[in-house]
Amino acid sequence: MKGKPVTTFDEINTSEFLRQLQEGSVEAYEHLFRRLLSPLVRFLVGTMGLPERDAEETASDVLFSVYKKIGSYNPKGGARLTTWIFQIAKNRAIDVLRKTEQLLPEPEPAGALAGRNERYVAWISGQLKSLSSDDRELVLSRAAGISYTEIARSLGITEGTARVRHSRLIERLKKAAEEGGPSAGAARV
Amino acid sequence: MKEKELNEMLAAALRSRDFDVTDKFVDAFLSDEVNISPVSSEQDLLSKLRTRLQDQAIAKAKASLPTERFSFGRYIEAIRERAKISRADVASRIKCSLDLPLRLERGDISPCSLHVGQLADFVVLFAVSIGDVSNLLITSVLANEEKVTYRASARSHGGVRTDVRSEDVERALDAFARKMAQKQASGSAAVPEEVRTCLFGLEAELRRRGRIELLK
């Protein structure tokens, strides 16, 4: 790879680095791999719920598929390169989880494991879609275990504001669940 | 609703296809130091990735490269250069000495003189089918015979010695010899004995390794 090696995540999103990837520079891919392997593994384990062993292989597969798909990435399409890669990782994880679920034909539990119940997920998705994009970002980022400090920084607000706003949003969602949520009325699936 | 249930639902929503990953989410995620601690298997995974990238690059490079214009060594060299893989990478992949890929590419060593396992290593790495190997070996053997004659002729006419000849001169000599050999080969269908023996051994080796897809 010509020029300086990539040392920060911002540099991954530069047009120069993208050019190197699109030219098929193995060195550029190795830099990308070194920078993103660990965060992708954390994302796949912590956010997507993959077992650690599967997550490492999946993260590696994701970075290899970037090599094959990089020609179709268009920075003008909206998402940054890092975001595009995380989206690939998310899609891959969903596929892996689906396959795992097919191997476990037990009925979906309700209650405390409501996250695995489709009706509950559809309800919360509807609630989240009704929020502003920043509020949705705040709630989902916290659900992913990201610290208030970093969420606040990415949203351009103070940490205190992020905490207060998050607390209010959670209360609002709880209230909505009690008034007409997925467990209200109909029997659980 | 209990907070635990709500959190479970939020985590599930995050895992669903309903919500795309956003720039802000990834920014926050990558800024959190907890998420960038090293992974213990990084070196193993990197090595696997390197292998896959090289294989992919070789496949891409091969797609646009006809075999008939090359000797075995020059064919390997052309793929390697197009795939942007160094000779050191090749040596590392097939666990041979650093100078073997160079000597094979230049035609200093005939591919038929390699140990069959070593030849199979090159064939497998560059995914060359046995049919193509056959053509490449014939060209190699005939070109090498021509080259020996030209070298001797060059020396007797005051040409430079092998050890001080530049890579460019060697390449030109190689190309010329290959052309002459191809002309000669087009006139006769006979496969040199050493190529036949070599192919026989190679086929058995590829079978032993289970690389049936290369036996075409």
Side-chain angles (χ1 to χ4, degrees), chain A residues 30 38-39 42 48 56 61 80 83 87 90 95 111 115 125 134 137 147 150, chain B residues 5 12 14-19 21-24 27 31-32 37 41 50 52:
Chain A
E30 288 189 9
S38 164
R42 306 283 170 242
M48 298 305 295
E56 290 180 5
D61 283 349
R80 287 187 208 147
T83 307
Q87 185 64 48
K90 179 175 178 173
D95 292 343
S125 291
D134 275 5
E137 206 72 58
S147 70
E150 301 310 335
Chain B
E5 275 184 294
L14 194 61
R15 289 196 291 268
S16 75
R17 290 199 196 271
D18 288 344
F19 300 99
V21 179
T22 63
D23 287 343
K24 283 178 183 171
D27 275 355
S31 303
D32 216 335
S37 54
S41 57
R50 201 175 283 149
R52 291 172 80 180

PDB file of all heavy atoms in Angstrom, chain A residues 30 38-39 42 48 56 61 80 83 87 90 95 111 115 125 134 137 147 150, chain B residues 5 12 14-19 21-24 27 31-32 37 41 50 52:
ATOM      1  N   GLU A  30      -5.245  -5.849   4.605  1.00  0.00           N
ATOM      2  CA  GLU A  30      -4.679  -6.305   5.882  1.00  0.00           C
ATOM      3  C   GLU A  30      -4.809  -5.212   6.944  1.00  0.00           C
ATOM      4  O   GLU A  30      -5.082  -5.496   8.103  1.00  0.00           O
ATOM      5  CB  GLU A  30      -3.228  -6.731   5.676  1.00  0.00           C
ATOM      6  CG  GLU A  30      -3.160  -8.042   4.906  1.00  0.00           C
ATOM      7  CD  GLU A  30      -1.766  -8.625   4.846  1.00  0.00           C
ATOM      8  OE1 GLU A  30      -0.862  -8.118   5.535  1.00  0.00           O
ATOM      9  OE2 GLU A  30      -1.582  -9.598   4.084  1.00  0.00           O
ATOM     10  N   SER A  38     -11.450  -6.656  15.550  1.00  0.00           N
ATOM     11  CA  SER A  38     -11.875  -6.640  16.947  1.00  0.00           C
ATOM     12  C   SER A  38     -13.237  -5.944  17.141  1.00  0.00           C
ATOM     13  O   SER A  38     -14.139  -6.521  17.768  1.00  0.00           O
ATOM     14  CB  SER A  38     -10.779  -5.996  17.786  1.00  0.00           C
ATOM     15  OG  SER A  38     -11.264  -5.648  19.021  1.00  0.00           O
ATOM     16  N   PRO A  39     -13.438  -4.716  16.600  1.00  0.00           N
ATOM     17  CA  PRO A  39     -14.765  -4.099  16.769  1.00  0.00           C
ATOM     18  C   PRO A  39     -15.897  -4.939  16.161  1.00  0.00           C
ATOM     19  O   PRO A  39     -16.977  -5.006  16.739  1.00  0.00           O
ATOM     20  CB  PRO A  39     -14.642  -2.763  16.017  1.00  0.00           C
ATOM     21  CG  PRO A  39     -13.199  -2.486  15.933  1.00  0.00           C
ATOM     22  CD  PRO A  39     -12.487  -3.804  15.945  1.00  0.00           C
ATOM     23  N   ARG A  42     -16.689  -7.710  18.560  1.00  0.00           N
ATOM     24  CA  ARG A  42     -17.465  -7.174  19.708  1.00  0.00           C
ATOM     25  C   ARG A  42     -18.914  -6.911  19.304  1.00  0.00           C
ATOM     26  O   ARG A  42     -19.851  -7.148  20.046  1.00  0.00           O
ATOM     27  CB  ARG A  42     -16.848  -5.875  20.244  1.00  0.00           C
ATOM     28  CG  ARG A  42     -15.412  -5.971  20.598  1.00  0.00           C
ATOM     29  CD  ARG A  42     -15.174  -6.683  21.925  1.00  0.00           C
ATOM     30  NE  ARG A  42     -13.760  -6.948  22.078  1.00  0.00           N
ATOM     31  CZ  ARG A  42     -13.212  -8.154  22.181  1.00  0.00           C
ATOM     32  NH1 ARG A  42     -13.973  -9.215  22.206  1.00  0.00           N
ATOM     33  NH2 ARG A  42     -11.919  -8.314  22.297  1.00  0.00           N
ATOM     34  N   MET A  48     -25.196  -8.446  18.322  1.00  0.00           N
ATOM     35  CA  MET A  48     -25.967  -9.402  17.512  1.00  0.00           C
ATOM     36  C   MET A  48     -26.183 -10.745  18.207  1.00  0.00           C
ATOM     37  O   MET A  48     -26.941 -11.579  17.724  1.00  0.00           O
ATOM     38  CB  MET A  48     -25.287  -9.621  16.159  1.00  0.00           C
ATOM     39  CG  MET A  48     -25.190  -8.360  15.306  1.00  0.00           C
ATOM     40  SD  MET A  48     -26.788  -7.544  15.018  1.00  0.00           S
ATOM     41  CE  MET A  48     -27.658  -8.774  14.063  1.00  0.00           C
ATOM     42  N   GLU A  56     -15.824 -14.664  15.596  1.00  0.00           N
ATOM     43  CA  GLU A  56     -14.495 -14.428  15.012  1.00  0.00           C
ATOM     44  C   GLU A  56     -14.467 -14.887  13.561  1.00  0.00           C
ATOM     45  O   GLU A  56     -13.960 -14.185  12.689  1.00  0.00           O
ATOM     46  CB  GLU A  56     -13.426 -15.137  15.855  1.00  0.00           C
ATOM     47  CG  GLU A  56     -13.256 -14.463  17.202  1.00  0.00           C
ATOM     48  CD  GLU A  56     -12.204 -15.123  18.079  1.00  0.00           C
ATOM     49  OE1 GLU A  56     -11.541 -16.056  17.611  1.00  0.00           O
ATOM     50  OE2 GLU A  56     -12.070 -14.696  19.235  1.00  0.00           O
ATOM     51  N   ASP A  61     -15.033 -13.550   7.757  1.00  0.00           N
ATOM     52  CA  ASP A  61     -15.782 -13.720   6.495  1.00  0.00           C
ATOM     53  C   ASP A  61     -16.294 -12.380   5.972  1.00  0.00           C
ATOM     54  O   ASP A  61     -16.276 -12.121   4.772  1.00  0.00           O
ATOM     55  CB  ASP A  61     -17.006 -14.631   6.710  1.00  0.00           C
ATOM     56  CG  ASP A  61     -16.605 -16.092   6.775  1.00  0.00           C
ATOM     57  OD1 ASP A  61     -15.444 -16.401   6.459  1.00  0.00           O
ATOM     58  OD2 ASP A  61     -17.457 -16.916   7.154  1.00  0.00           O
ATOM     59  N   ARG A  80     -21.098   5.595   5.271  1.00  0.00           N
ATOM     60  CA  ARG A  80     -19.632   5.548   5.212  1.00  0.00           C
ATOM     61  C   ARG A  80     -19.177   4.111   5.046  1.00  0.00           C
ATOM     62  O   ARG A  80     -19.933   3.177   5.319  1.00  0.00           O
ATOM     63  CB  ARG A  80     -19.051   6.092   6.514  1.00  0.00           C
ATOM     64  CG  ARG A  80     -19.183   7.577   6.611  1.00  0.00           C
ATOM     65  CD  ARG A  80     -18.421   8.017   7.839  1.00  0.00           C
ATOM     66  NE  ARG A  80     -19.016   9.236   8.345  1.00  0.00           N
ATOM     67  CZ  ARG A  80     -19.068   9.562   9.610  1.00  0.00           C
ATOM     68  NH1 ARG A  80     -18.563   8.755  10.517  1.00  0.00           N
ATOM     69  NH2 ARG A  80     -19.604  10.686   9.987  1.00  0.00           N
ATOM     70  N   THR A  83     -19.597   2.015   8.112  1.00  0.00           N
ATOM     71  CA  THR A  83     -21.013   1.704   8.345  1.00  0.00           C
ATOM     72  C   THR A  83     -21.476   0.601   7.394  1.00  0.00           C
ATOM     73  O   THR A  83     -22.188  -0.335   7.794  1.00  0.00           O
ATOM     74  CB  THR A  83     -21.869   2.974   8.126  1.00  0.00           C
ATOM     75  OG1 THR A  83     -21.322   4.010   8.939  1.00  0.00           O
ATOM     76  CG2 THR A  83     -23.321   2.745   8.482  1.00  0.00           C
ATOM     77  N   GLN A  87     -22.948  -3.016   8.359  1.00  0.00           N
ATOM     78  CA  GLN A  87     -24.245  -3.490   7.859  1.00  0.00           C
ATOM     79  C   GLN A  87     -24.094  -4.893   7.263  1.00  0.00           C
ATOM     80  O   GLN A  87     -24.958  -5.756   7.460  1.00  0.00           O
ATOM     81  CB  GLN A  87     -24.800  -2.508   6.808  1.00  0.00           C
ATOM     82  CG  GLN A  87     -26.203  -2.865   6.325  1.00  0.00           C
ATOM     83  CD  GLN A  87     -27.264  -2.800   7.424  1.00  0.00           C
ATOM     84  OE1 GLN A  87     -27.337  -1.820   8.170  1.00  0.00           O
ATOM     85  NE2 GLN A  87     -28.074  -3.853   7.548  1.00  0.00           N
ATOM     86  N   LYS A  90     -23.958  -7.198  10.112  1.00  0.00           N
ATOM     87  CA  LYS A  90     -25.283  -7.411  10.707  1.00  0.00           C
ATOM     88  C   LYS A  90     -26.090  -8.415   9.881  1.00  0.00           C
ATOM     89  O   LYS A  90     -26.671  -9.361  10.426  1.00  0.00           O
ATOM     90  CB  LYS A  90     -26.036  -6.077  10.795  1.00  0.00           C
ATOM     91  CG  LYS A  90     -27.424  -6.222  11.368  1.00  0.00           C
ATOM     92  CD  LYS A  90     -28.118  -4.908  11.579  1.00  0.00           C
ATOM     93  CE  LYS A  90     -29.519  -5.181  12.113  1.00  0.00           C
ATOM     94  NZ  LYS A  90     -30.216  -3.970  12.497  1.00  0.00           N
ATOM     95  N   ASP A  95     -28.211 -14.021   9.233  1.00  0.00           N
ATOM     96  CA  ASP A  95     -28.234 -15.312   8.521  1.00  0.00           C
ATOM     97  C   ASP A  95     -27.734 -16.442   9.418  1.00  0.00           C
ATOM     98  O   ASP A  95     -28.318 -17.522   9.461  1.00  0.00           O
ATOM     99  CB  ASP A  95     -27.362 -15.244   7.252  1.00  0.00           C
ATOM    100  CG  ASP A  95     -27.967 -14.318   6.208  1.00  0.00           C
ATOM    101  OD1 ASP A  95     -29.169 -14.004   6.318  1.00  0.00           O
ATOM    102  OD2 ASP A  95     -27.227 -13.888   5.298  1.00  0.00           O
ATOM    103  N   GLY A 111     -42.444 -13.522  27.774  1.00  0.00           N
ATOM    104  CA  GLY A 111     -42.014 -12.964  29.045  1.00  0.00           C
ATOM    105  C   GLY A 111     -40.601 -12.450  29.012  1.00  0.00           C
ATOM    106  O   GLY A 111     -40.247 -11.644  28.165  1.00  0.00           O
ATOM    107  N   GLY A 115     -37.544 -10.873  23.604  1.00  0.00           N
ATOM    108  CA  GLY A 115     -36.786 -10.486  22.420  1.00  0.00           C
ATOM    109  C   GLY A 115     -36.836 -11.532  21.332  1.00  0.00           C
ATOM    110  O   GLY A 115     -36.596 -11.235  20.177  1.00  0.00           O
ATOM    111  N   SER A 125     -40.462  -2.433  17.289  1.00  0.00           N
ATOM    112  CA  SER A 125     -39.977  -1.815  16.059  1.00  0.00           C
ATOM    113  C   SER A 125     -40.889  -0.664  15.659  1.00  0.00           C
ATOM    114  O   SER A 125     -40.425   0.409  15.264  1.00  0.00           O
ATOM    115  CB  SER A 125     -39.906  -2.834  14.919  1.00  0.00           C
ATOM    116  OG  SER A 125     -38.889  -3.756  15.181  1.00  0.00           O
ATOM    117  N   ASP A 134     -32.717  10.771  16.072  1.00  0.00           N
ATOM    118  CA  ASP A 134     -31.730  10.873  17.152  1.00  0.00           C
ATOM    119  C   ASP A 134     -32.170  10.086  18.393  1.00  0.00           C
ATOM    120  O   ASP A 134     -31.352   9.437  19.057  1.00  0.00           O
ATOM    121  CB  ASP A 134     -31.477  12.342  17.523  1.00  0.00           C
ATOM    122  CG  ASP A 134     -30.431  12.975  16.611  1.00  0.00           C
ATOM    123  OD1 ASP A 134     -29.997  12.298  15.651  1.00  0.00           O
ATOM    124  OD2 ASP A 134     -30.050  14.145  16.850  1.00  0.00           O
ATOM    125  N   GLU A 137     -31.698   6.518  17.693  1.00  0.00           N
ATOM    126  CA  GLU A 137     -30.258   6.240  17.746  1.00  0.00           C
ATOM    127  C   GLU A 137     -29.811   6.059  19.196  1.00  0.00           C
ATOM    128  O   GLU A 137     -29.056   5.149  19.531  1.00  0.00           O
ATOM    129  CB  GLU A 137     -29.532   7.450  17.141  1.00  0.00           C
ATOM    130  CG  GLU A 137     -28.192   7.170  16.542  1.00  0.00           C
ATOM    131  CD  GLU A 137     -28.307   6.405  15.237  1.00  0.00           C
ATOM    132  OE1 GLU A 137     -28.961   6.867  14.294  1.00  0.00           O
ATOM    133  OE2 GLU A 137     -27.740   5.304  15.198  1.00  0.00           O
ATOM    134  N   SER A 147     -21.481   3.404  25.572  1.00  0.00           N
ATOM    135  CA  SER A 147     -21.514   4.305  26.733  1.00  0.00           C
ATOM    136  C   SER A 147     -22.210   5.627  26.381  1.00  0.00           C
ATOM    137  O   SER A 147     -22.233   6.043  25.218  1.00  0.00           O
ATOM    138  CB  SER A 147     -20.086   4.596  27.204  1.00  0.00           C
ATOM    139  OG  SER A 147     -19.436   5.406  26.251  1.00  0.00           O
ATOM    140  N   GLU A 150     -19.948   8.206  24.549  1.00  0.00           N
ATOM    141  CA  GLU A 150     -19.761   8.085  23.099  1.00  0.00           C
ATOM    142  C   GLU A 150     -21.045   8.372  22.334  1.00  0.00           C
ATOM    143  O   GLU A 150     -21.006   8.956  21.250  1.00  0.00           O
ATOM    144  CB  GLU A 150     -19.230   6.684  22.743  1.00  0.00           C
ATOM    145  CG  GLU A 150     -17.902   6.325  23.390  1.00  0.00           C
ATOM    146  CD  GLU A 150     -16.829   7.397  23.202  1.00  0.00           C
ATOM    147  OE1 GLU A 150     -16.921   8.166  22.226  1.00  0.00           O
ATOM    148  OE2 GLU A 150     -15.924   7.470  24.043  1.00  0.00           O
TER     149      GLU A 150
ATOM    150  N   GLU B   5     -37.602  -7.041  30.244  1.00  0.00           N
ATOM    151  CA  GLU B   5     -38.299  -7.437  29.010  1.00  0.00           C
ATOM    152  C   GLU B   5     -38.125  -6.386  27.930  1.00  0.00           C
ATOM    153  O   GLU B   5     -37.889  -6.704  26.765  1.00  0.00           O
ATOM    154  CB  GLU B   5     -39.798  -7.611  29.299  1.00  0.00           C
ATOM    155  CG  GLU B   5     -40.171  -8.971  29.822  1.00  0.00           C
ATOM    156  CD  GLU B   5     -41.677  -9.091  29.989  1.00  0.00           C
ATOM    157  OE1 GLU B   5     -42.229  -8.382  30.854  1.00  0.00           O
ATOM    158  OE2 GLU B   5     -42.286  -9.873  29.254  1.00  0.00           O
ATOM    159  N   ALA B  12     -33.444  -7.111  20.596  1.00  0.00           N
ATOM    160  CA  ALA B  12     -33.931  -7.901  19.463  1.00  0.00           C
ATOM    161  C   ALA B  12     -34.233  -7.006  18.264  1.00  0.00           C
ATOM    162  O   ALA B  12     -33.978  -7.383  17.121  1.00  0.00           O
ATOM    163  CB  ALA B  12     -35.174  -8.684  19.870  1.00  0.00           C
ATOM    164  N   LEU B  14     -32.759  -4.296  17.548  1.00  0.00           N
ATOM    165  CA  LEU B  14     -31.442  -3.931  17.016  1.00  0.00           C
ATOM    166  C   LEU B  14     -30.900  -5.041  16.114  1.00  0.00           C
ATOM    167  O   LEU B  14     -30.220  -4.782  15.126  1.00  0.00           O
ATOM    168  CB  LEU B  14     -30.503  -3.704  18.205  1.00  0.00           C
ATOM    169  CG  LEU B  14     -29.176  -3.014  17.984  1.00  0.00           C
ATOM    170  CD1 LEU B  14     -29.376  -1.615  17.458  1.00  0.00           C
ATOM    171  CD2 LEU B  14     -28.399  -2.962  19.292  1.00  0.00           C
ATOM    172  N   ARG B  15     -31.247  -6.266  16.461  1.00  0.00           N
ATOM    173  CA  ARG B  15     -30.751  -7.414  15.685  1.00  0.00           C
ATOM    174  C   ARG B  15     -31.623  -7.696  14.461  1.00  0.00           C
ATOM    175  O   ARG B  15     -31.279  -8.528  13.647  1.00  0.00           O
ATOM    176  CB  ARG B  15     -30.726  -8.684  16.567  1.00  0.00           C
ATOM    177  CG  ARG B  15     -29.658  -8.681  17.621  1.00  0.00           C
ATOM    178  CD  ARG B  15     -29.443 -10.082  18.176  1.00  0.00           C
ATOM    179  NE  ARG B  15     -30.568 -10.559  18.956  1.00  0.00           N
ATOM    180  CZ  ARG B  15     -30.693 -10.418  20.271  1.00  0.00           C
ATOM    181  NH1 ARG B  15     -29.742  -9.794  20.952  1.00  0.00           N
ATOM    182  NH2 ARG B  15     -31.726 -10.889  20.914  1.00  0.00           N
ATOM    183  N   SER B  16     -32.756  -7.023  14.369  1.00  0.00           N
ATOM    184  CA  SER B  16     -33.678  -7.320  13.256  1.00  0.00           C
ATOM    185  C   SER B  16     -33.293  -6.515  12.017  1.00  0.00           C
ATOM    186  O   SER B  16     -32.490  -5.585  12.082  1.00  0.00           O
ATOM    187  CB  SER B  16     -35.105  -6.966  13.661  1.00  0.00           C
ATOM    188  OG  SER B  16     -35.269  -5.560  13.632  1.00  0.00           O
ATOM    189  N   ARG B  17     -33.892  -6.894  10.896  1.00  0.00           N
ATOM    190  CA  ARG B  17     -33.625  -6.172   9.641  1.00  0.00           C
ATOM    191  C   ARG B  17     -34.390  -4.855   9.578  1.00  0.00           C
ATOM    192  O   ARG B  17     -34.257  -4.105   8.624  1.00  0.00           O
ATOM    193  CB  ARG B  17     -34.010  -7.040   8.449  1.00  0.00           C
ATOM    194  CG  ARG B  17     -33.079  -8.228   8.249  1.00  0.00           C
ATOM    195  CD  ARG B  17     -33.185  -8.778   6.839  1.00  0.00           C
ATOM    196  NE  ARG B  17     -32.619 -10.107   6.732  1.00  0.00           N
ATOM    197  CZ  ARG B  17     -31.339 -10.356   6.445  1.00  0.00           C
ATOM    198  NH1 ARG B  17     -30.500  -9.372   6.255  1.00  0.00           N
ATOM    199  NH2 ARG B  17     -30.905 -11.606   6.360  1.00  0.00           N
ATOM    200  N   ASP B  18     -35.214  -4.582  10.611  1.00  0.00           N
ATOM    201  CA  ASP B  18     -36.008  -3.346  10.597  1.00  0.00           C
ATOM    202  C   ASP B  18     -35.145  -2.093  10.678  1.00  0.00           C
ATOM    203  O   ASP B  18     -35.565  -1.024  10.255  1.00  0.00           O
ATOM    204  CB  ASP B  18     -36.992  -3.335  11.794  1.00  0.00           C
ATOM    205  CG  ASP B  18     -38.119  -4.323  11.587  1.00  0.00           C
ATOM    206  OD1 ASP B  18     -38.298  -4.759  10.434  1.00  0.00           O
ATOM    207  OD2 ASP B  18     -38.809  -4.659  12.568  1.00  0.00           O
ATOM    208  N   PHE B  19     -33.962  -2.237  11.266  1.00  0.00           N
ATOM    209  CA  PHE B  19     -33.128  -1.042  11.452  1.00  0.00           C
ATOM    210  C   PHE B  19     -31.747  -1.240  10.847  1.00  0.00           C
ATOM    211  O   PHE B  19     -31.025  -2.169  11.228  1.00  0.00           O
ATOM    212  CB  PHE B  19     -32.999  -0.707  12.948  1.00  0.00           C
ATOM    213  CG  PHE B  19     -34.322  -0.448  13.582  1.00  0.00           C
ATOM    214  CD1 PHE B  19     -34.965  -1.428  14.308  1.00  0.00           C
ATOM    215  CD2 PHE B  19     -34.967   0.766  13.393  1.00  0.00           C
ATOM    216  CE1 PHE B  19     -36.226  -1.220  14.856  1.00  0.00           C
ATOM    217  CE2 PHE B  19     -36.224   0.997  13.934  1.00  0.00           C
ATOM    218  CZ  PHE B  19     -36.857   0.006  14.667  1.00  0.00           C
ATOM    219  N   VAL B  21     -27.820  -0.249  10.124  1.00  0.00           N
ATOM    220  CA  VAL B  21     -26.738   0.345  10.922  1.00  0.00           C
ATOM    221  C   VAL B  21     -26.499   1.761  10.383  1.00  0.00           C
ATOM    222  O   VAL B  21     -26.518   1.966   9.175  1.00  0.00           O
ATOM    223  CB  VAL B  21     -25.450  -0.505  10.766  1.00  0.00           C
ATOM    224  CG1 VAL B  21     -24.318   0.109  11.548  1.00  0.00           C
ATOM    225  CG2 VAL B  21     -25.695  -1.935  11.216  1.00  0.00           C
ATOM    226  N   THR B  22     -26.337   2.714  11.285  1.00  0.00           N
ATOM    227  CA  THR B  22     -26.158   4.110  10.845  1.00  0.00           C
ATOM    228  C   THR B  22     -24.739   4.601  11.123  1.00  0.00           C
ATOM    229  O   THR B  22     -24.013   4.007  11.930  1.00  0.00           O
ATOM    230  CB  THR B  22     -27.131   5.050  11.593  1.00  0.00           C
ATOM    231  OG1 THR B  22     -26.784   4.990  12.996  1.00  0.00           O
ATOM    232  CG2 THR B  22     -28.573   4.640  11.399  1.00  0.00           C
ATOM    233  N   ASP B  23     -24.365   5.697  10.462  1.00  0.00           N
ATOM    234  CA  ASP B  23     -23.040   6.294  10.687  1.00  0.00           C
ATOM    235  C   ASP B  23     -22.856   6.661  12.167  1.00  0.00           C
ATOM    236  O   ASP B  23     -21.798   6.419  12.752  1.00  0.00           O
ATOM    237  CB  ASP B  23     -22.873   7.567   9.837  1.00  0.00           C
ATOM    238  CG  ASP B  23     -22.678   7.247   8.352  1.00  0.00           C
ATOM    239  OD1 ASP B  23     -22.348   6.097   8.033  1.00  0.00           O
ATOM    240  OD2 ASP B  23     -22.864   8.156   7.530  1.00  0.00           O
ATOM    241  N   LYS B  24     -23.901   7.241  12.747  1.00  0.00           N
ATOM    242  CA  LYS B  24     -23.792   7.677  14.148  1.00  0.00           C
ATOM    243  C   LYS B  24     -23.586   6.487  15.086  1.00  0.00           C
ATOM    244  O   LYS B  24     -22.795   6.545  16.025  1.00  0.00           O
ATOM    245  CB  LYS B  24     -25.049   8.458  14.561  1.00  0.00           C
ATOM    246  CG  LYS B  24     -25.066   9.874  14.021  1.00  0.00           C
ATOM    247  CD  LYS B  24     -26.340  10.583  14.408  1.00  0.00           C
ATOM    248  CE  LYS B  24     -26.350  11.980  13.778  1.00  0.00           C
ATOM    249  NZ  LYS B  24     -27.637  12.643  13.927  1.00  0.00           N
ATOM    250  N   ASP B  27     -20.013   5.247  14.584  1.00  0.00           N
ATOM    251  CA  ASP B  27     -19.078   6.212  15.186  1.00  0.00           C
ATOM    252  C   ASP B  27     -19.000   6.007  16.695  1.00  0.00           C
ATOM    253  O   ASP B  27     -17.918   5.936  17.282  1.00  0.00           O
ATOM    254  CB  ASP B  27     -19.550   7.650  14.926  1.00  0.00           C
ATOM    255  CG  ASP B  27     -19.060   8.145  13.571  1.00  0.00           C
ATOM    256  OD1 ASP B  27     -18.291   7.403  12.926  1.00  0.00           O
ATOM    257  OD2 ASP B  27     -19.452   9.252  13.171  1.00  0.00           O
ATOM    258  N   SER B  31     -15.884   4.445  18.861  1.00  0.00           N
ATOM    259  CA  SER B  31     -15.215   5.349  19.809  1.00  0.00           C
ATOM    260  C   SER B  31     -15.117   4.741  21.194  1.00  0.00           C
ATOM    261  O   SER B  31     -14.346   5.195  22.042  1.00  0.00           O
ATOM    262  CB  SER B  31     -15.990   6.667  19.914  1.00  0.00           C
ATOM    263  OG  SER B  31     -16.106   7.241  18.655  1.00  0.00           O
ATOM    264  N   ASP B  32     -15.937   3.728  21.439  1.00  0.00           N
ATOM    265  CA  ASP B  32     -15.947   3.097  22.755  1.00  0.00           C
ATOM    266  C   ASP B  32     -14.770   2.120  22.859  1.00  0.00           C
ATOM    267  O   ASP B  32     -14.751   1.121  22.131  1.00  0.00           O
ATOM    268  CB  ASP B  32     -17.278   2.340  22.939  1.00  0.00           C
ATOM    269  CG  ASP B  32     -17.765   2.408  24.371  1.00  0.00           C
ATOM    270  OD1 ASP B  32     -16.914   2.598  25.262  1.00  0.00           O
ATOM    271  OD2 ASP B  32     -18.976   2.263  24.593  1.00  0.00           O
ATOM    272  N   SER B  37     -10.628  -3.838  21.938  1.00  0.00           N
ATOM    273  CA  SER B  37      -9.574  -4.653  22.546  1.00  0.00           C
ATOM    274  C   SER B  37      -9.244  -5.816  21.610  1.00  0.00           C
ATOM    275  O   SER B  37     -10.122  -6.324  20.919  1.00  0.00           O
ATOM    276  CB  SER B  37     -10.021  -5.158  23.916  1.00  0.00           C
ATOM    277  OG  SER B  37     -11.247  -5.808  23.786  1.00  0.00           O
ATOM    278  N   SER B  41      -7.286 -14.557  18.404  1.00  0.00           N
ATOM    279  CA  SER B  41      -7.004 -15.355  17.201  1.00  0.00           C
ATOM    280  C   SER B  41      -6.667 -14.494  15.991  1.00  0.00           C
ATOM    281  O   SER B  41      -6.720 -14.979  14.861  1.00  0.00           O
ATOM    282  CB  SER B  41      -8.211 -16.232  16.894  1.00  0.00           C
ATOM    283  OG  SER B  41      -9.355 -15.423  16.745  1.00  0.00           O
ATOM    284  N   ARG B  50      -5.383 -13.688   4.350  1.00  0.00           N
ATOM    285  CA  ARG B  50      -4.334 -13.440   3.353  1.00  0.00           C
ATOM    286  C   ARG B  50      -4.388 -14.526   2.270  1.00  0.00           C
ATOM    287  O   ARG B  50      -4.333 -14.235   1.086  1.00  0.00           O
ATOM    288  CB  ARG B  50      -2.976 -13.451   4.074  1.00  0.00           C
ATOM    289  CG  ARG B  50      -1.895 -12.739   3.309  1.00  0.00           C
ATOM    290  CD  ARG B  50      -0.630 -12.685   4.129  1.00  0.00           C
ATOM    291  NE  ARG B  50      -0.677 -11.682   5.173  1.00  0.00           N
ATOM    292  CZ  ARG B  50      -0.049 -11.786   6.343  1.00  0.00           C
ATOM    293  NH1 ARG B  50       0.635 -12.867   6.639  1.00  0.00           N
ATOM    294  NH2 ARG B  50      -0.114 -10.813   7.226  1.00  0.00           N
ATOM    295  N   ARG B  52      -6.955 -16.380   1.470  1.00  0.00           N
ATOM    296  CA  ARG B  52      -8.176 -16.243   0.664  1.00  0.00           C
ATOM    297  C   ARG B  52      -8.062 -15.081  -0.315  1.00  0.00           C
ATOM    298  O   ARG B  52      -8.510 -15.175  -1.463  1.00  0.00           O
ATOM    299  CB  ARG B  52      -9.384 -16.022   1.583  1.00  0.00           C
ATOM    300  CG  ARG B  52      -9.721 -17.251   2.404  1.00  0.00           C
ATOM    301  CD  ARG B  52     -10.777 -16.949   3.439  1.00  0.00           C
ATOM    302  NE  ARG B  52     -12.105 -16.938   2.865  1.00  0.00           N
ATOM    303  CZ  ARG B  52     -13.199 -16.699   3.572  1.00  0.00           C
ATOM    304  NH1 ARG B  52     -13.125 -16.466   4.863  1.00  0.00           N
ATOM    305  NH2 ARG B  52     -14.376 -16.691   3.004  1.00  0.00           N
TER     306      ARG B  52
END
